[in-house]
Amino acid sequence: MRKITNRNTFIVLLIFLASNGVVFSQNNKQKELETRRQELRREIQKITELRSENKSKEKSQLSLIEDFNYKISVLNNLIKVTNQQANLLTREINSNQKQITALRNELKQLKADYANMIVKSYKSKNEQSRIMFLLSSNDFKQAYKRLQYIKQYSNHQKEQGESIKTKTIELQDINIKLSKQKEDKNALITENRVTQKSLEAERKEHQSLIKSIKKNLNFYTAQIRTKQREANKIDRELERIIKAAIVRSNKKAGKSSTSKGFALTAEEKVLASKFVSNKGKLPWPVEKGIVKGKYGIQPSLIDKSLPIRRNGVIIATEKGAKARAIFNGEVIDVVKMKNVKPIVIIRHGNYITYYKNLSKVYVKEGDKVTTKQEIGEIFTNRTNGETNLSFGISKESSTQNPASWIYKM
């Protein structure tokens, strides 16, 4: 009987050790998924708030398409993450159910062994039987061993009782945990149903709008091309300004004006190094916002054959929002072009950040700025109520993806 108990204990121990690492990994993954789910929920809340703020405004069809497309993307991600959480909980529930079964079997065996010991102990419980057991020894050595046996047997009884108590508590804890996991899973499933309905409603409106746009596709395609030409013109001007700044820095350092990179002072090298060391941790250029336009070449939302190129990102924010410097640096220019809202360019060693579409500017060329310092107010379009900041990063004149630099962008 004792051998069976030991074997069962060994099996449970193996299950525990094998599952312990898996459970730890699953718990970390669950925390990551929950963090991401809450981020997506906050993002949806921001979208809803921005929509509500601009409800009375007449938005262009293209702008509405961007709104729908963005929210649909976030809703899809939320459903995906929530499903991953529910699936992970299912695996955890199955694992706990297996552990409960193993513990119940062990507990059953422990109780059976304990009952047998109690019966044997009862049969030989009187003091006379114990004394006779000791007195019937052949010699003192045997009597001593028998005395030790009686003590060990008594201690084993106590150990078995404690083991039963411990396993019972452990079983109760796992049952409570299992019940909570089932509640969490049901809550996630319920939330996903609500999100799915919201997604279906957004898709329906999106499809209706696309159908309306396609009736006059050439008109909207021409609008997109015009906007792209305007963006390209601004990007070329910014590139010219950066190249001129590089030439000036090299001339000041007594180096060749044909150099493609900044001639950095010792102080500027330190600044650039710190900027790089903060990659992925830099603050957002606005206090609150969502990325509506991604960096790089993306297909148009209404005509997949029409590419849209961005050297930065478009961040939608609230009316009156301020643009903030993402790191310590120096303002090398405040660009003012015809029919274009002011642009602030800040240099961080050999790295550059751009802040486009400002209505007010709080800094001037040559100013030193610090991380999160407000450098201007972002322009709000009176017609559609949109407040969008165009933000970019480059190393010299080579553009970078801001999502790689800004924290959780």
Side-chain angles (χ1 to χ4, degrees), residues 83-128:
N83 278 334
Q84 286 176 333
Q85 277 188 280
N87 291 336
L88 191 57
L89 276 172
T90 300
R91 289 196 290 273
E92 288 176 6
I93 286 166
N94 291 338
S95 174
N96 280 333
Q97 283 173 334
K98 286 177 183 176
Q99 201 173 347
I100 285 168
T101 301
L103 277 169
R104 278 178 179 161
N105 289 337
E106 188 190 8
L107 198 54
K108 184 179 177 182
Q109 190 62 59
L110 280 169
K111 286 178 178 178
D113 288 352
Y114 190 70
N116 286 333
M117 279 194 294
I118 294 299
V119 171
K120 287 179 182 178
S121 180
Y122 179 78
K123 287 178 180 178
S124 60
K125 70 176 182 178
N126 63 75
E127 195 65 29
Q128 191 177 357

Side-chain angles (χ1 to χ4, degrees), residues 280 282 294-296 311-313 315 391-393 399-407 409:
L282 292 167
K294 293 181 180 179
Y295 168 87
N311 285 342
V313 292
I315 301 172
F391 171 74
I393 299 177
T399 64
Q400 308 275 306
N401 185 353
S404 302
W405 292 84
I406 305 299
Y407 180 69
M409 183 177 275

Side-chain angles (χ1 to χ4, degrees), residues 283-290 315-317 321-324 326 378 389:
W284 281 60
V286 293
E287 189 176 350
K288 297 176 184 176
I290 53 174
I315 301 172
T317 186
K322 308 296 189 292
R324 314 182 301 181
I326 66 162
I378 303 162
L389 174 72

Side-chain angles (χ1 to χ4, degrees), residues 75 79 191-202:
L75 286 169
I79 289 169
E191 184 184 315
N192 239 9
R193 288 192 187 118
V194 174
T195 307
Q196 192 69 45
K197 284 182 181 178
S198 179
L199 177 61
E200 286 167 8
E202 293 288 333

Side-chain angles (χ1 to χ4, degrees), residues 2 110 113-114 117-118 121 130 150-166:
R2 178 69 179 158
L110 280 169
D113 288 352
Y114 190 70
M117 279 194 294
I118 294 299
S121 180
R130 291 181 182 179
I150 290 169
K151 286 180 181 178
Q152 286 172 4
Y153 191 77
S154 177
N155 289 337
H156 181 59
Q157 276 185 309
K158 289 177 184 177
E159 286 172 7
Q160 287 290 86
E162 286 300 320
S163 183
I164 288 169
K165 191 190 293 184
T166 303

Side-chain angles (χ1 to χ4, degrees), residues 242-263:
I242 299 306
K243 285 180 178 177
I246 290 171
V247 169
R248 286 197 302 273
S249 76
N250 281 284
K251 188 177 180 181
K252 188 177 178 181
K255 294 183 179 181
S256 171
S257 59
T258 59
S259 176
K260 293 182 180 180
F262 284 100

Side-chain angles (χ1 to χ4, degrees), residues 8 57 87 100 104 143 189 224 243 276 278 306 388 397 402:
N8 286 341
K57 302 294 181 179
N87 291 336
I100 285 168
R104 278 178 179 161
I189 290 168
I224 292 168
K243 285 180 178 177
V276 173
N278 279 280
L306 188 63
N388 294 331
S397 55

